[in-house]
Amino acid sequence: MLELEDVTVRFDRTVAVDEVSLSLAEGTVLAVLGPSGCGKSTLLRAIAGLEHLSTGRVSAGGQDLAGVPTHRRGFALMFQDGQLFPQLSVGDNIGYALKLQGVGATDRAVRVKELLALVGLDGYAERRPTTLSGGEQQRVALARSLAAEPRLLLLDEPLSALDRSLRERLATDLRAILVETGTTALLVTHDHDEAFTVADEMAVMFAGRIVQHGPTREVWRAP
Ligand code: ADP
Ligand code: ADP
């Protein structure tokens, strides 16, 4: 589904991503794990079309994405802070992408209801984002990301702002939701346990390079 060939992203003197090649099969969840500053976010941004590639190629479904802008890639992005629209209700936040696609109000309401059930927030459609806890806001952000059925979901430290117990609970739920929806996803994280819970495969990044990549159970070793 996703293919990276010798992708390098350079900023003046820093080589943030250094000749990374990677492929991700449809329906697979890959965690990119590594210390702060190793290039994880830059790699994700390069896949999303938010960074200029110094060299290399990103393709999806066999299509070279050079020159394809972010909003035309069919990907969804989710960050540490959900960046919900504060002036819109939870339901309107989730239905936003569908509205842009011209989906009518009735169909939108049905889909929003399904998505709220999926993320465990039945009955939250009329709430305002500012009245929700951090964990609930990230659940809404996830529902919003999944609304348009993206062919790839890009998650950049989506649980890192939450406290530990909430993070564990949400990681388990995130795993179940990705499996249930069959979503292909790439999760950037610095947390081993989170990567292990959520992902099928793990790629370990160090100084801009992928130094190890395989099934989570083989890459990850319990201490
Ligand atoms: P991580 O997500 O693993 O913490 P980043 O991808 O954010 O790492 O950063 C990788 C390296 O690239 C770091 O050295 C960082 O300082 C540098 N970098 C990231 N973005 C920029 C930018 N816009 N301009 C210059 N340097 C950058
Ligand atoms: P393109 O050549 O495809 O138009 P750009 O070179 O304009 O792409 O870069 C796209 C994005 O990548 C910019 O918005 C910027 O944030 C980031 N970027 C690229 N090169 C650098 C750099 N040297 N320092 C900081 N950010 C950079």
Side-chain angles (χ1 to χ4, degrees):
M1 155 55 219
L2 180 73
E3 196 90 34
L4 272 65
E5 291 167 68
D6 296 324
V7 169
T8 297
V9 179
R10 212 174 277 125
F11 299 113
D12 302 325
R13 265 171 232 160
T14 313
V15 182
V17 174
D18 192 2
E19 296 191 346
V20 166
S21 295
L22 195 64
S23 69
L24 184 57
E26 193 162 343
T28 303
V29 181
L30 169 70
V32 177
L33 186 73
S36 180
C38 73
K40 304 182 297 295
S41 288
T42 305
L43 181 67
L44 182 135
R45 290 171 54 80
I47 293 167
L50 296 167
E51 296 290 358
H52 171 74
L53 308 187
S54 304
T55 64
R57 195 149 68 133
V58 176
S59 52
Q63 179 201 11
D64 187 343
L65 296 179
V68 179
T70 302
H71 66 280
R72 294 264 168 75
R73 295 188 176 204
F75 301 166
L77 282 128
M78 183 178 159
F79 300 98
Q80 186 166 322
D81 296 301
Q83 298 167 323
L84 299 173
F85 305 120
Q87 74 280 20
L88 296 183
S89 68
V90 162
D92 288 345
N93 265 281
I94 295 172
Y96 187 76
L98 301 174
K99 192 172 182 178
L100 291 184
Q101 287 179 355
V103 177
T106 313
D107 291 342
R108 248 180 10 244
V110 171
R111 180 83 178 117
V112 164
K113 206 162 183 294
E114 284 172 6
L115 285 158
L116 282 172
L118 181 72
V119 299
L121 293 179
D122 271 320
Y124 275 59
E126 302 305 324
R127 295 276 294 270
R128 295 275 149 179
T130 48
T131 70
L132 306 181
S133 71
E136 288 169 340
Q137 289 185 29
Q138 287 307 74
R139 287 175 187 272
V140 174
L142 179 63
R144 188 177 62 175
S145 298
L146 293 172
E149 299 183 350
R151 57 178 173 164
L152 174 68
L153 176 61
L154 298 169
L155 303 154
D156 192 350
E157 303 271 5
L159 310 181
S160 296
L162 307 173
D163 67 50
R164 178 148 199 98
S165 64
L166 197 54
R167 207 159 66 223
E168 285 170 6
R169 171 94 198 281
L170 236 72
T172 305
D173 290 355
L174 175 59
R175 171 70 193 169
I177 290 164
L178 294 176
V179 169
E180 185 174 338
T181 54
T183 303
T184 311
L186 191 149
L187 167 75
V188 160
T189 182
H190 63 271
D191 184 328
H192 274 83
D193 294 338
E194 185 182 311
F196 188 66
T197 302
V198 178
D200 303 294
E201 294 178 15
M202 214 182 283
V204 179
M205 203 165 175
F206 193 77
R209 292 180 169 265
I210 303 279
V211 294
Q212 225 185 331
H213 178 196
T216 33
R217 258 150 256 270
E218 290 175 20
V219 175
W220 189 80
R221 296 271 180 269

